[in-house]
């Protein structure tokens, strides 16, 4: 999706704000969705991830108001949310409004004097697809509210506020990857993040320069159970770390895993093996990108998928089919991305093969009577920012 698409969203959100409130917004902010190249289910184990921000955005037009109330509209949702600023708290607002309201609450808990405000959302990140539409919404709102409050916090702190909104206000026990990606990513780069220290490196990632494309296949399979299964995996990882004798699986190694194998039992052993090998794959992927060894990236993607499917058990028949079909017609590598249990797969492929890959994935889905998938290519864009000037 082009810069023109973002400009259209800015115009739409601004116009809708004017229609609903009768005044101009104080500003318009945008934050992108993300896709994780590699490093899945590693962030809450203090490990490494490598997402890019994608050219799909949540745009938010905002204006402060003198009344101590919040009014929220979304061009993609029918319901309007109106709530007193002092009444906002975990579990109070349900549905999509919990994300922006949660950000206001998290900022206020940090001592930032968020004013009453009106806000209109226009999103182009597919919702509930594992492309972090919720993080994009949180981060766009956080960037705007900080400015409306006249506060100044650094970019990582902004991402952490957005994450806290999701964990505490919405109740999804996510790690830091999505919000860090939505705020800190840079165009043409992947974000190499150490989820323990929050150190970040920006690794050049421009597959088109190599004649390659990053294809996203949205399986459009309903992602039920994600929250519960995600929490279960987190608990399993914590139990595995304890049994191995490390504070988090970031500190485990294959040798220590073998030593603890009997204590761990088969299931926790496999969960831990995924995390340990996945952290190694992130390291290898980053090294390959730095040295321009693009062809080596494919096998890393594919082994990540196998590990998520067999050891971590978070894939789904649709995700497996998407990855297999892409590989069958020449993708260099393919894997599920995000939390799993549905959502999206990615494939890295020579540009001339993209249409063939999309056609094959569609045909494979039809053969198995899956819902028709949606496939598109993405490029790496900048993180959250003000977009009306
Ligand atoms: C979700 C979470 C992230 C991360 C991924 C899995 O997207 O929000 O923090 O744990 O799942 O890698």
């Amino acid at each position: 999706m082009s810069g023109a698409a973002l400009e259209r969203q800015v115009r739409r959100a601004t116009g809708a704000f004017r229609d609903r409130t009768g005044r101009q917004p104080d500003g318009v902010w945008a934050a992108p969705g993300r896709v994780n190249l590699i490093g899945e289910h590693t962030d809450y184990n203090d490990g490494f991830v490598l997402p890019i921000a994608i050219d799909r955005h949540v745009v938010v037009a905002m204006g402060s108001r003198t009344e101590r109330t919040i009014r929220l509209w979304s061009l993609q949702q029918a319901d309007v949310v109106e709530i007193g600023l002092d009444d906002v708290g975990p579990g109070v607002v349900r549905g999509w409004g919990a994300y922006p309201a949660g950000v206001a609450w998290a900022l206020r808990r940090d001592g930032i004097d968020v004013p009453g405000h009106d806000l209109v959302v226009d999103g182009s990140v597919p919702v509930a697809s594992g492309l972090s539409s919720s993080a994009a919404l949180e981060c766009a709102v956080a960037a705007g509210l900080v400015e409306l409050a006249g506060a100044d916090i650094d970019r990582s702190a902004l991402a952490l506020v957005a994450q806290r909104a999701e964990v505490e206000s919405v109740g999804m026990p996510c790690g830091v990857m999505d919000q860090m990606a939505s705020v800190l990513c840079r165009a043409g780069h992947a974000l190499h993040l150490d989820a323990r220290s929050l150190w970040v490196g920006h690794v050049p990632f421009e597959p088109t320069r190599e004649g390659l494309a990053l294809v996203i296949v949205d399986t459009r399979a309903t992602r039920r159970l994600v929250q519960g299964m995600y929490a279960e995996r987190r608990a399993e990882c914590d139990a595995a770390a304890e049994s191995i004798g490390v504070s988090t699986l970031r500190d485990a190694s294959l040798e220590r895993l073998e030593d603890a194998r009997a204590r761990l039992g088969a299931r926790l052993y496999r969960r831990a093996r995924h995390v340990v090998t996945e952290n190694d794959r992130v390291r290898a992927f980053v090294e390959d990108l730095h040295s321009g060894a693009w062809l080596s990236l494919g096998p890393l993607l594919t082994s990540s998928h196998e590990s998520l499917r067999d050891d971590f058990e978070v894939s789904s028949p649709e995700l497996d089919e998407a990855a297999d079909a892409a590989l069958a017609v020449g993708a260099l590598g393919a894997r599920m991305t995000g939390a799993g249990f549905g959502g999206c797969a990615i494939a890295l492929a020579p540009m001339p093969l993209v249409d063939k890959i999309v056609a094959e994935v569609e045909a494979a889905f039809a053969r198995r009577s899956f819902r028709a998938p949606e496939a598109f290519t993405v490029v790496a864009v900048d993180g959250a920012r003000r977009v009306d000037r």
Side-chain angles (χ1 to χ4, degrees), residues 79-93:
D79 52 325
V80 182
V81 179
E82 181 159 4
I83 185 169
L85 196 52
D86 302 306
D87 301 330
V88 172
V92 174
V93 181

Side-chain angles (χ1 to χ4, degrees), residues 305 309 318-329 334 360-361 368:
H305 183 78
R309 182 191 64 201
E318 291 87 352
L319 289 166
D320 293 343
E321 192 62 68
D324 290 347
L327 289 173
V329 286
E360 179 54 27
V361 172
R368 295 192 59 182

Side-chain angles (χ1 to χ4, degrees), residues 34 39-41 43-44 174-178 230 338-339:
R34 65 95 188 94
E40 218 64 85
H41 288 277
D43 62 349
Y44 54 81
C174 64
V176 292
M177 169 169 70
D178 306 342
Y230 186 88

Side-chain angles (χ1 to χ4, degrees), residues 34 36 39-44 49 130-132 134-135 163 166 172-179 223 226 230 234 274 278 308 312 335-340:
R34 65 95 188 94
N36 191 18
E40 218 64 85
H41 288 277
T42 46
D43 62 349
Y44 54 81
V49 294
L131 297 174
S132 292
S134 55
Q163 184 219 8
E166 176 123 10
M172 165 70 184
C174 64
V176 292
M177 169 169 70
D178 306 342
Q179 292 79 10
R223 281 169 94 225
V226 179
Y230 186 88
R234 280 195 78 139
H274 164 71
E278 186 77 353
L308 287 156
F312 216 65
R335 69 175 201 91
M336 56 149 282
T337 182

Side-chain angles (χ1 to χ4, degrees), residues 156-301:
S156 300
L158 192 72
L160 293 178
V161 163
Q163 184 219 8
R164 203 140 33 77
E166 176 123 10
V167 174
E168 294 181 36
S169 174
V170 180
M172 165 70 184
C174 64
V176 292
M177 169 169 70
D178 306 342
Q179 292 79 10
M180 288 292 277
S182 187
V183 172
L184 294 173
C185 276
R186 289 190 190 156
H189 291 77
L191 185 80
H192 186 202
L193 167 70
D194 177 342
R196 171 177 277 166
S197 66
L198 299 188
W199 171 90
V200 297
H202 297 279
V203 188
F205 181 78
E206 289 185 282
T208 47
R209 283 174 177 255
E210 315 294 322
L212 300 173
L214 186 68
V215 185
I216 297 197
V217 177
D218 182 354
T219 63
R220 299 174 72 231
T222 325
R223 281 169 94 225
R224 259 176 285 120
L225 305 176
V226 179
Q227 202 153 314
M229 298 296 271
Y230 186 88
E232 188 182 298
R233 289 298 177 281
R234 280 195 78 139
E236 288 171 340
C237 288
D238 291 346
E242 194 178 333
S243 182
I244 297 166
V246 289
S247 65
T248 60
L249 289 179
R250 151 77 171 267
D251 300 317
S253 61
L254 286 178
E255 295 73 49
R256 293 196 70 165
L257 222 60
E258 287 311 318
D259 293 345
R261 192 166 187 158
R263 273 200 311 281
L264 282 165
R267 187 165 42 87
L268 293 191
Y269 172 80
R270 283 188 286 112
R271 302 292 189 257
R273 183 169 61 184
H274 164 71
V275 176
V276 172
T277 57
E278 186 77 353
N279 277 324
D280 286 344
R281 283 186 287 271
V282 176
R283 199 168 309 130
F285 202 96
V286 168
E287 276 168 22
D288 287 340
L289 275 178
H290 278 307
S291 65
W294 284 80
L295 294 183
S296 311
L297 301 177
L300 290 169
L301 292 174

